[in-house]
Amino acid sequence: MQVERYERYWMWAATGMLVLFTGAIVATALAGSVHPPSHVETVDPETLTVTGEFVSPGVMTAPDGRITVVMRAEFYVFRPTVVRIPAGRPVRFRITSPDVLHGFQIVGTNVNLTVAPGYVSEVTTTFDTPGEYLVVCNEYCGLAHHLMQGTVIVEAAP
Ligand code: CUA
């Protein structure tokens, strides 16, 4: 079978791009821990502000020392607005929304959750570098979307 020279070039170029893009997915998954979300857990958005763990969001430390940050993303604030956690220890974030779709992105890290009403989004991460991290909502949620932000303060271990 005779294949035109330019067609052959383009076939190799397309194959090269496939290899490159697949390699980029594998590389970011291995080096940057960038994975698709796998946590599915539902919650009733109409009652979560009157009953259950999301009534009083905040940082909880279990008797065995595990840290969980329970949060709500809602018009147009993260509750709690400021989260204080220690560096060098795994922290589990559990976050949901009582109203519309929001985002939860900790700038400068690979923490980036979609917060959908009816679902609990969860991620566990360890902050190695103490400091103040900006949290932004990266899903358009209404007129004051651009004002919706929070802070994660990572404190150096004593
Ligand atoms: Cu919340 Cu945008």
Side-chain angles (χ1 to χ4, degrees):
M1 186 174 69
Q2 180 63 37
V3 179
E4 289 289 328
R5 181 154 46 122
Y6 286 116
E7 195 171 356
R8 214 163 45 232
Y9 290 165
W10 281 109
M11 283 162 65
W12 279 113
T15 306
M17 281 191 276
L18 282 175
V19 170
L20 185 72
F21 297 152
T22 308
I25 292 170
V26 173
T28 53
L30 294 177
S33 295
V34 177
H35 304 300
S38 56
H39 182 84
V40 178
E41 179 184 346
T42 56
V43 65
D44 184 352
E46 299 198 336
T47 60
L48 66 85
T49 56
V50 288
T51 178
E53 66 174 306
F54 293 99
V55 171
S56 38
V59 182
M60 330 280 170
T61 306
D64 63 4
R66 283 186 304 166
I67 300 167
T68 302
V69 184
V70 174
M71 295 187 79
R72 295 201 314 253
E74 57 197 41
F75 293 134
Y76 292 99
V77 70
F78 293 101
R79 297 190 194 280
T81 309
V82 178
V83 171
R84 284 177 187 277
I85 47 175
R89 286 172 61 185
V91 176
R92 184 166 63 129
F93 288 87
R94 287 172 58 73
I95 179 163
T96 190
S97 161
D99 41 54
V100 301
L101 193 70
H102 296 278
F104 177 80
Q105 179 176 10
I106 305 178
V107 177
T109 72
N110 67 349
V111 176
N112 186 357
L113 299 173
T114 297
V115 185
Y119 294 89
V120 178
S121 297
E122 189 174 301
V123 66
T124 301
T125 190
T126 302
F127 292 86
D128 294 323
T129 314
E132 215 175 289
Y133 294 79
L134 175 68
V135 178
V136 296
C137 174
N138 57 11
E139 297 280 356
Y140 182 74
C141 52
L143 284 180
H145 157 72
H146 61 292
L147 299 175
M148 185 167 170
Q149 52 179 253
T151 308
V152 170
I153 297 174
V154 179
E155 293 168 329

